[in-house]
Structures are given as C-alpha cells and as structure tokens.
Amino acid sequence: MQNEIPRGDFYSMVVRRVIAPLWARRERSPYLRYLERLEKAQYRHRDEVKEDQWRRFKRLLTHAYHNTNFYRERLKACGVTPEDIRSWEDLTWVPVLTKNDIRTHKENMVARNIPGNRLFPKKTSGSTGVSLEFCVDDASLQWKRACAIRHDRWTGWNIGERIGAIWGNPVYRKSLRGYIRNTLLERFLYLDTLKMNEKEMLGFYRRIKKKRPTLLFGHAHSLYLFARFLAASRLMDIRVKGIISTAMVLHDFERKEIERVFDCKVTNRYGCEEVSLIACECREHHGFHINADSLVVEFSREGIPVQPGESGAILVTDLTNSGMPFIRYKVGDVGIPSSDRLCGCGCTYPLMDSLEGRIADYVVTPDGDYVSGISLTENFAMLLGGIKQLQIVQERIDYLVLRVVRGEGFSEGTLKEIGRLIALRFGGKMKHSVEFVDSIQQEQSGKYRFCISKLEGQLF
Ligand SMILES: [Zn+2]
C-alpha cells in the first residue's frame, strides 16, 4: 500500500529504547529526562504554570542583576531593583532589550558566575543582514532540545523515526561524526534549500518514497515550493504523520496547497535562533501554544501590554539561559495574543492567535494605522496583473516607493491600479512613486522581502 501513512519502522523503536538513551548517557546530556518532565508539565493547571514562570522569572532577574554589569546598570538607571518587581503588572518597569543592546553590550551581558566552558557561542544572520552574536549555556541548550522534541511529537511523530527536512546547508555533512550521528540517531533526509531545482526535488521525492519518513519539516515557503513541484509532476502520493512549517511566516495559500498535496495538516511553529521555540500549533490548529516551560512571552505596543485580539510586538524572556540572560527581548516580530480560552488538546499553555510577521515588514499609514506585510501580499500584490515582482519600501510616514519588475501585460492601467490600491489600503494622504527594476534581490538568508519599512525603529 503505497499511499498509507508510514508507521515508525522497527529501527525507530531501537533508537527510542536503546540508541538514544545510550547516546545521551555518553554525551552526559539530560535531555531525555527533561523530555519526560516536559511531557507531563504541559498538562499542569494553568495557575501552577503561572506560579512556576513567576518564580523562575524572579530568579533570573535577580541572577542577572547580581552577575552581569549590563542588567545591574540598566535597572539602576531606572531606579529599580529585582525586589521592586512584585507582580506581573510590574514587568513593564524592566527595560526592553533590543538587538542593538546585544550588539553593543554583549560582553557585559554574559554572567560572571557561569564558567566559560559551559557557554556556547551562536550567531544569527539578522533580519536586516546585520548579524547578532550571543551565547547560550549548555543546560539551556539541552532543555531546548527536549522542548523541540515534545512539540515534534505533537504531530504524531516519535523519537527515532525518520524526518524529511527541507532546510539550508545541513550541518551533519561537515564531519564524519555528524554523518554517523545522523545515520544512527537523528535520521534526517535533507533537501538543501539552496539547491531547490527540479532534479534535486525529484531526488528528494524518491528518497522519501524509499525511506518513508513520518514527518516533514521545513521553511514555509520551501515546503510550498516542494508541494507545488509535486503537484505539477503528478507525484502526490507522499503520506506522512505530520508537517512542521517554521522559520518564516506561513501564508494561507501556502498552507492550503501543502495540505492538499500531502493530505495532511500543517503544524505551524514559531521560534528564533536567540531563544529557540517560542510557540507551536497543536493538533487542534487553533493558534499557537506558547512555550511556557522556557519563556515568558509578552505582547506590547508603545510600552503597554496589548489586549487579547490586538497585535503587539513580541517580547520574550528566556527562563533557561542563565549564561547570557535575555530579559524582555524584542524579537522583531508581531503577534496577537489570545483570550484565556483553554485548548481542546489538553495543553494548558496560553495561546497566541496568530503571528503577523516582522515589525520591519509593516507599513504605517499617515493616520497611524498599522498594515502588516503579510496581509499586503494577498490584498495588494496578488491583485495586480502585469507585474512579475513587487516590493514596497516605506521611506516616510506619507511616502512609499514601489519597486516593480514589469511582466507580460504591464500597461498604463497597471500604474492606475497601483494608485487605486494605495489609496484603498493606506488612505488618500499616502503618496508614492514607482521605480522600475530588473529584479528584486533576495536577502542573505534567501528570504524575499515584500515590504521594507525605514521607520522600523519607531513602530510598536
Ligand atoms: Zn492545543
């Protein structure tokens, strides 16, 4: 039966029961013990979750105050000590941490009392191409590893089962050790996103058919491209237990196409390199559960917490990384918190209704309304004919530059249509000019940006 959903093979059970525990012991990693704890923790009473977060938040703040120059000076400058923070409402007294703070003060953010050999350096490419360097301590890394596995298991996948990953630059190929580890323990099949041509995608399809992974994992857009390729090639017979989309905003049209081609629900996940998994959909697919075991997540606009249903900048406090504390870190994304509803899956962690994308992708109207970049893909770009590619750059509050790559059928009428849509979406006071270009460059990360705001620092 070719189209049946694969079950884990016999070897996956061997990995689960023998290889993974032995490997963890050899690495002296507690991640499997953490996983056991985390599996139970997700069903605790909500009050217990909140109390646990509060206790850990206070401990982290006190630790940061006593062991880093950065947080001590920051809090002193505001006339605040950790003892003054007595309830969740007081959190706004603690200043927000920005990417710029990390670039400028990294050395002073590292805790003095954590030995250097327990800290691991990390680096992100950064949303604007400027990289960000930071450290994570080893206990935090192992905790995060366990969290990721718990959420992978929400899809029906289990430890030891193969995963088909559409991802950039697989690291395991760089060493023999990595290769052995992947073959025996992690069992990833990779499609490198830097080589997503038809030949590679066909090869990936064939490997999936042969090796039968139970989970597909990848960037939202790469999963979509792979699904489209399969549909066009009439190869729609891959069946898996789950599909995890991450690292990019997942558009509705992408989700629909992926679900149609694989006949399987997509689990959308949100995280960032700095703190790892922030929130993840469960099997109910009504919003994202916040990873309350690792983080405190706030949603804020101009320094004030937003109400459920309103969009706000996402601030995260990483409760696990004592090596270099991230407290009220402004990730650069916007989300909408949910009301206090409980989810049918049994997990008690709070929900985020939706992820609205990056702050840097917002357009703000002269009247002060925020329009998210994602909504514009579907309500602006896709309504225009005769255009191959389009990019909106907000230069000033009342002025946009539209970079346009002309396609077949482009005419004067297209320009008029642009003018009409601008007035419709951003109001009559918004001015614009059109700049014709040959192509629109991707960013270093391979992501393509539809909106670029030059007002980013003033938003949210
Ligand atoms: Zn749920």
Side-chain angles (χ1 to χ4, degrees):
M1 294 291 274
Q2 283 287 301
N3 285 3
E4 246 182 34
I5 295 173
R7 291 184 307 181
D9 52 1
F10 176 73
Y11 184 73
S12 66
M13 198 183 66
V14 177
V15 173
R16 209 151 48 238
R17 297 208 178 148
V18 184
I19 296 179
L22 285 176
W23 211 293
R25 195 187 291 176
R26 201 180 138 263
E27 282 181 336
R28 300 207 177 132
S29 166
Y31 83 98
L32 288 172
R33 269 187 286 130
Y34 289 163
L35 178 62
E36 219 171 295
R37 256 170 67 190
L38 286 165
E39 287 289 359
K40 290 184 194 134
Q42 60 188 324
Y43 304 116
R44 285 174 295 169
H45 192 280
R46 218 166 234 190
D47 294 345
E48 202 185 317
V49 177
K50 275 246 150 191
E51 277 163 29
D52 182 38
Q53 278 187 310
W54 180 249
R55 194 174 41 78
R56 290 163 71 196
F57 181 86
K58 285 284 290 189
R59 195 168 63 198
L60 181 78
L61 189 64
T62 310
H63 158 77
Y65 184 77
H66 290 294
N67 295 297
T68 73
N69 294 340
F70 174 75
Y71 283 105
R72 175 169 282 257
E73 281 164 21
R74 264 285 157 107
L75 289 174
K76 270 192 171 167
C78 307
V80 175
T81 66
E83 291 75 43
D84 297 328
I85 310 298
R86 296 202 180 99
S87 72
W88 290 111
E89 284 73 44
D90 302 341
L91 241 58
T92 50
W93 299 353
V94 179
V96 166
L97 175 71
T98 64
K99 290 186 201 285
N100 225 4
D101 289 332
I102 299 170
R103 283 190 198 105
T104 319
H105 303 286
K106 185 197 156 201
E107 307 303 327
N108 284 329
M109 285 176 65
V110 175
R112 284 184 295 268
N113 62 337
I114 307 283
N117 62 358
R118 286 184 47 204
L119 294 174
F120 292 84
K122 293 228 175 199
K123 197 175 173 179
T124 69
S125 59
S127 63
T128 45
V130 189
S131 73
L132 192 65
E133 292 179 31
F134 57 96
C135 301
V136 183
D137 68 53
D138 55 353
S140 173
L141 284 176
Q142 297 310 318
W143 182 267
K144 286 167 176 158
R145 184 178 174 189
C147 272
I149 295 174
R150 175 180 67 185
H151 292 273
D152 290 346
R153 290 187 74 237
W154 281 3
T155 64
W157 169 90
N158 207 351
I159 294 177
E161 293 173 15
R162 283 200 170 98
I163 300 174
I166 309 181
W167 208 248
N169 206 10
V171 278
Y172 81 94
R173 287 181 191 158
K174 288 181 185 157
S175 70
L176 179 66
R177 243 173 104 180
Y179 185 80
I180 295 171
R181 183 193 172 93
N182 190 57
T183 308
L184 297 179
L185 179 69
E186 284 166 343
R187 307 184 81 205
F188 278 99
L189 312 173
Y190 279 104
L191 170 61
D192 189 340
T193 43
L194 295 174
K195 298 180 199 151
M196 285 200 62
N197 55 44
E198 294 201 350
K199 184 174 157 250
E200 293 291 329
M201 286 197 276
L202 185 63
F204 189 55
Y205 163 80
R206 289 193 179 131
R207 276 185 290 148
I208 289 177
K209 290 301 288 178
K210 193 168 158 208
K211 304 277 188 185
R212 314 204 75 202
T214 58
L215 177 67
L216 281 184
F217 183 94
H219 302 129
H221 193 63
S222 307
L223 284 167
Y224 170 69
L225 290 179
F226 184 50
R228 266 208 348 199
F229 162 78
L230 294 177
S233 319
R234 299 180 184 281
L235 299 171
M236 290 173 48
D237 58 350
I238 290 178
R239 293 294 169 266
V240 283
K241 291 181 185 174
I243 302 171
I244 294 175
S245 160
T246 186
M248 285 168 100
V249 162
L250 173 71
H251 294 284
D252 278 343
F253 68 90
E254 293 173 326
R255 183 194 282 260
K256 273 188 203 136
E257 181 65 359
I258 299 166
E259 292 184 345
R260 182 180 79 85
V261 170
F262 297 103
D263 190 21
C264 177
K265 284 273 188 188
V266 173
T267 297
N268 198 1
R269 179 179 292 183
Y270 168 54
C272 67
E273 197 71 35
E274 298 89 308
V275 303
S276 298
L277 196 151
I278 297 172
C280 184
E281 282 184 5
C282 62
R283 59 177 160 79
E284 300 284 323
H285 303 279
H286 287 302
F288 304 69
H289 282 285
I290 285 164
N291 182 7
D293 292 295
S294 307
L295 308 168
V296 170
V297 178
E298 302 164 73
F299 299 85
S300 138
R301 193 147 169 173
E302 283 153 20
I304 299 163
V306 300
Q307 295 299 309
E310 290 177 1
S311 55
I314 296 173
L315 306 179
V316 294
T317 298
D318 186 342
L319 300 170
T320 67
N321 186 9
S322 313
M324 182 169 164
F326 278 68
I327 300 174
R328 308 198 75 225
Y329 171 53
K330 193 172 184 180
V331 190
D333 295 311
V334 177
I336 299 182
S338 161
S339 59
D340 276 344
R341 70 186 164 90
L342 277 169
C343 182
C345 75
C347 173
T348 53
Y349 296 167
L351 289 152
M352 171 170 81
D353 276 340
S354 75
L355 180 65
E356 298 288 285
R358 283 192 280 178
I359 293 174
D361 293 347
Y362 269 74
V363 174
V364 57
T365 70
D367 291 329
D369 292 329
Y370 287 1
V371 185
S372 77
I374 319 173
S375 69
L376 284 172
T377 318
E378 280 167 80
N379 296 308
F380 195 105
M382 286 167 81
L383 301 180
L384 288 165
I387 285 182
K388 228 176 180 174
Q389 266 187 305
L390 176 70
Q391 189 171 52
I392 299 178
V393 184
Q394 181 155 32
E395 296 279 349
R396 297 191 307 267
I397 184 117
D398 62 349
Y399 178 54
L400 305 173
V401 173
L402 277 82
R403 293 187 184 144
V404 169
V405 182
R406 281 168 286 191
E408 260 177 61
F410 182 88
S411 68
E412 276 299 308
T414 318
L415 288 177
K416 274 194 195 136
E417 185 58 10
I418 289 177
R420 191 188 71 81
L421 280 172
I422 285 182
L424 185 70
R425 300 286 171 231
F426 311 114
K429 289 182 222 153
M430 186 67 95
K431 297 190 273 294
H432 79 279
S433 63
V434 174
E435 197 181 292
F436 296 117
V437 291
D438 294 330
S439 68
I440 288 163
Q441 294 297 312
Q442 285 178 334
E443 282 180 53
Q444 258 181 347
S445 59
K447 291 178 192 171
Y448 163 76
R449 289 182 69 186
F450 175 58
C451 289
I452 297 177
S453 171
K454 299 211 171 154
L455 309 175
E456 183 187 352
Q458 302 157 37
L459 300 181
F460 290 94

